[in-house]
Amino acid sequence: MTNRIRTAGLTAATAVIAAGGIFGAGQATADPGYGDGFPGGPTCDRQTFVKAESASSQIVICQNPGHAIDYTYKGLAKSTGKTLVVPTARYASSGYHVHNNGYAYHVRPDALEIQAPDGSVVSYEPWTYYDSTEG
C-alpha cells in the first residue's frame, strides 16, 4: 500500500543537523514525482520505503541488503548540499528513527524531527511531499 501526503506552500522550520549538516529555510512544491529518490539528491539502490521532502530537506529510507531489520537513512540539506547517510535506521512507533553523533532523527508521516543530544528539538520540518510504502 502506498501512502501519499501532498502539501504545497509550507514555510520551513529552521533545520539544524550537526555532524551531517542540514541548515536552511525556503519553500518547496508538492510531488516532485521521481522514482526511487531525488535527482541530484538522495536515492535508494534497493527498495525505497519513504521518500519525503520538506522546505529544507530531502530524505529517503532504503532497504538494506539481505532484508535486514535496519534501514538506511539518506538525507540532503537543500540549502548547503550536505548529506547524511546512516545505515542503522529502525522502524518503530509509526516512523523511522536513526541516531548519529548524539542527534536523533525521527521520520514520521507528518514531519522530520531532529533532537539534540540533550533531547531538545532543534528542528521540526513538516513535509511538503511524503510517499511511503508503509500502511
Side-chain angles (χ1 to χ4, degrees):
M1 170 187 241
T2 298
N3 187 18
R4 290 181 186 234
I5 298 172
R6 298 178 186 169
T7 308
L10 290 176
T11 303
T14 300
V16 177
I17 298 179
I22 292 180
F23 191 109
Q27 223 168 22
T29 58
D31 193 0
Y34 311 130
D36 291 321
F38 297 94
T43 61
C44 292
D45 297 329
R46 299 182 181 278
Q47 182 179 353
T48 302
F49 285 88
V50 173
K51 182 173 73 172
E53 184 170 25
S54 72
S56 300
S57 305
Q58 293 176 333
I59 69 100
V60 291
I61 301 290
C62 310
Q63 176 185 34
N64 279 346
H67 301 280
I69 61 170
D70 290 334
Y71 301 85
T72 296
Y73 169 99
K74 295 181 179 184
L76 170 74
K78 291 163 59 173
S79 65
T80 65
K82 290 185 179 181
T83 60
L84 177 65
V85 177
V86 183
T88 56
R90 292 278 175 107
Y91 182 80
S93 302
S94 300
Y96 292 86
H97 310 279
V98 65
H99 293 83
N100 184 59
N101 291 333
Y103 284 76
Y105 303 81
H106 305 289
V107 177
R108 296 186 180 102
D110 61 332
L112 170 65
E113 180 179 287
I114 304 166
Q115 293 177 334
D118 67 2
S120 65
V121 175
V122 295
S123 181
Y124 182 83
E125 302 178 26
W127 299 125
T128 56
Y129 173 79
Y130 182 87
D131 188 6
S132 172
T133 59
E134 297 296 329

